[in-house]
Amino acid sequence: CQKLEKALPVNLHYADDISYNATLAAYWSTQEQSLRPACILTPSSALEVSTALKIMAGACRFAVKSGGHMAQAGAANIQDGVTIDLRNLNQSSVSTDRSTVTLGPGLRWGQVYSMLAAYDLAVPGGRSAQVGVGGYLLGGGSSYFIDHGFGCDNVVAYEVVLASGAVLNVTAEAHEDLFQGLKGGSSNFGIVTSFTLRTFELKGIWGGNIFYQAEPTVDQQLRAFHEFSGNNEYDVNAAVQMSISFSPGFGIVFVNQPFYALPQVNPAALHPFTNIQPQLGNQTALNNLAAFAIANGALSPDGARQMTWALSFENDLRTLHALYAAFNASVASIAQVAGISWSLTLEPIPKAFLRASARLGGNMLGVPTNPRGNSLVLCDSSFTWTNENDTAVVRSAGLKLLADISKSARQLGTLTRWVDVNHADYTQDPIASYGSANQAILQDLSRRYDPTQVFQKVVPGGFKVGPKRR
């Protein structure tokens, strides 16, 4: 910290400094907020990041924060080390021909959508406004925009600072191996200080949350999700998230979030969800993307204890029913936990999405582009509670639910290996889920661009290229 303070005095902050406390308050989970770095660095340029890495590489442990929207302690913060908070790298610029936008990793997606709305443009990004640009794109990033694949598929250039302090401009033509590796390779190779993405036109959207009690509608819900996801005539403007949620005040409810990437009210493609009755409430409306993301983020605000995990399976009605049964059975074990919110979210990964990803050049995620002719389902959890002394109960129940759903899908022959790194629990190994060939490529890239293995050994947070440390 003293060396950093000497080199970058304006950007170095200690405990109880206003900027230090602002960084901690901006983490999503209480677990991350509870860690206390020895100091926090808030660089404002790639050059300052380079200066910091030259000082720190091999000298002290450090963490890197973009939006800080991971659940587990230590993902983007560190106890007693140095946290590099990228919040001042919040630049944005649209190209003259409006075909690309360059974004700093310190931006949140709500800011990006608001800025691009002035141009009637958008990019595939996070569904919640408070999610950071950096972690989302480096982990792949699913979004509402089916015809644009993963967020990372739309990146055309990266500015990366390596552990050595070297600053690289990485494209499909320059350092093309690293260009591909950054598409899902997470924070294993350096600190990305800017992303340039393709844009597309977006003049308005329609969507919102629809709430239902579970038991009267569960069969309709799961059938609608299965048929929508597997539709061979899939409307690429349509998307949906289906959440199954429990809280003590409401019991088990379904919360569907239909989305349409045109300003068209209740389009036919989404009738399988909007026609389900009875409804407890319906918040769908014509809107803009920024407001939609802000409303979505408000459902999961900062400052609670969090647990997430992820798994994927083929779109199969039997598996969906097994998942619901496992969720229903899990509720009794956590129903008395203070402040509990217990939720699974299902997201279709239709064949049109996978084809778009392949068309845009693909990535390192290893997601099968034609899984036995079926679309895929991404399932991620969101478990929220209040008290530290309930953590063991919640984590035990959460991991049991993951194991039960995985077992059912495996028995039905529908479980797929892909684990979404952006929602994975620390007990999972999402990089290994990319497949042995892709993992080997990422390991080779790590040795090539980070020969002293700073981002494997000195940065404890995040998921490493492997093998997984126990």
Side-chain angles (χ1 to χ4, degrees):
C1 288
Q2 291 176 345
K3 291 180 179 179
L4 289 170
E5 184 177 17
K6 184 176 180 179
L8 301 164
V10 176
N11 307 102
L12 204 280
H13 311 284
Y14 291 99
D16 297 326
D17 179 282
I18 291 174
S19 291
Y20 182 103
N21 292 334
T23 291
L24 297 184
Y27 285 101
W28 179 52
S29 75
T30 298
Q31 296 100 308
E32 282 279 69
Q33 292 179 355
S34 67
L35 299 182
R36 292 294 182 270
C39 58
I40 294 175
L41 182 71
T42 55
S44 300
S45 67
L47 179 59
E48 290 181 352
V49 173
S50 173
T51 298
L53 286 178
K54 288 175 183 177
I55 292 170
M56 290 190 302
C60 69
R61 299 166 76 228
F62 65 94
V64 183
K65 174 183 180 290
S66 170
H69 204 264
M70 291 291 281
Q72 52 262 30
N77 198 8
I78 194 166
Q79 182 67 38
D80 299 327
V82 177
T83 292
I84 302 176
D85 183 354
L86 302 176
R87 69 173 189 255
N88 289 339
L89 290 168
N90 57 2
Q91 72 277 14
S92 62
S93 61
V94 175
S95 64
T96 304
D97 65 0
R98 296 161 40 103
S99 66
T100 63
V101 61
T102 298
L103 305 172
L107 290 166
R108 309 293 183 105
W109 285 109
Q111 296 171 297
V112 173
Y113 300 148
S114 293
M115 181 272 294
L116 288 175
Y119 300 87
D120 290 331
L121 297 174
V123 292
R127 290 185 171 87
S128 295
Q130 69 266 43
V131 171
V133 164
Y136 169 90
L137 289 173
L138 291 173
S142 56
S143 81
Y144 296 112
F145 299 104
I146 301 302
D147 203 32
H148 297 274
F150 290 97
C152 68
D153 297 330
N154 296 270
V155 179
V156 297
Y158 303 84
E159 181 182 70
V160 187
V161 185
L162 303 182
S164 65
V167 180
L168 302 185
N169 292 308
V170 178
T171 68
E173 291 76 38
H175 310 288
E176 61 272 22
D177 53 353
L178 183 57
F179 178 75
Q180 195 68 13
L182 288 166
K183 294 175 180 287
S186 195
S187 55
N188 281 290
F189 312 114
I191 298 177
V192 178
T193 49
S194 77
F195 301 81
T196 301
L197 291 85
R198 301 180 194 91
T199 59
F200 56 87
E201 187 175 273
L202 186 72
K203 294 190 174 180
I205 59 100
W206 175 87
N209 293 320
I210 308 175
F211 303 86
Y212 321 76
Q213 284 290 347
E215 286 308 319
T217 66
V218 61
D219 288 338
Q220 296 178 75
Q221 303 280 2
L222 300 182
R223 184 171 60 253
F225 186 93
H226 175 250
E227 292 177 357
F228 173 83
S229 304
N231 189 346
N232 288 326
E233 308 270 319
Y234 194 98
D235 181 343
V236 295
N237 290 305
V240 73
Q241 283 192 120
M242 174 179 282
S243 294
I244 309 168
S245 300
F246 167 82
S247 61
F250 294 95
I252 300 178
V253 298
F254 277 82
V255 183
N256 290 338
Q257 188 183 74
F259 176 94
Y260 203 66
L262 291 171
Q264 179 179 334
V265 174
N266 194 19
L270 292 165
H271 284 179
F273 302 99
T274 59
N275 288 344
I276 295 174
Q277 297 291 341
Q279 297 177 2
L280 299 174
N282 188 321
Q283 299 174 341
T284 57
L286 292 171
N287 215 330
N288 62 70
L289 186 57
F292 196 80
I294 290 168
N296 194 41
L299 298 174
S300 185
D302 298 349
R305 300 188 184 279
Q306 305 282 356
M307 178 184 180
T308 64
W309 49 246
L311 82 160
S312 60
F313 52 87
E314 294 180 19
N315 180 38
D316 172 74
L317 189 57
R318 300 165 302 163
T319 307
L320 292 169
H321 276 284
L323 178 147
Y324 178 78
F327 180 88
N328 195 31
S330 74
V331 166
S333 62
I334 49 81
Q336 303 306 311
V337 171
I340 192 69
S341 177
W342 191 251
S343 180
L344 296 182
T345 296
L346 304 177
E347 177 185 340
I349 308 290
K351 287 183 283 186
F353 181 99
L354 298 172
R355 287 194 296 267
S357 178
R359 183 184 73 247
L360 293 167
N363 50 62
M364 299 304 297
L365 302 176
V367 181
T369 55
N370 189 23
R372 298 199 309 187
N374 295 328
S375 56
L376 299 179
V377 177
L378 170 62
C379 173
D380 59 77
S381 73
S382 179
F383 306 141
T384 303
W385 68 104
T386 302
N387 299 323
E388 167 61 24
N389 58 9
D390 289 321
T391 296
V393 170
V394 174
R395 284 198 55 80
S396 176
L399 292 175
K400 183 180 186 303
L401 179 55
L402 172 61
D404 289 346
I405 297 170
S406 299
K407 180 180 178 181
S408 294
R410 190 177 295 110
Q411 290 174 339
L412 291 165
T414 58
L415 186 68
T416 56
R417 71 189 183 200
W418 175 51
V419 174
D420 177 24
V421 69
N422 287 337
H423 293 94
D425 181 68
Y426 64 78
T427 60
Q428 298 183 285
D429 193 353
I431 303 295
S433 81
Y434 298 176
S436 58
N438 281 0
Q439 186 175 21
I441 291 170
L442 294 175
Q443 290 170 343
D444 182 62
L445 287 172
S446 172
R447 289 188 291 266
R448 191 177 312 161
Y449 287 95
D450 182 16
T452 59
Q453 295 291 276
V454 168
F455 287 94
Q456 302 304 301
K457 298 176 180 178
V458 185
V459 181
F463 295 98
K464 305 306 177 186
V465 295
K468 183 174 172 61
R469 291 173 289 179
R470 299 294 180 183

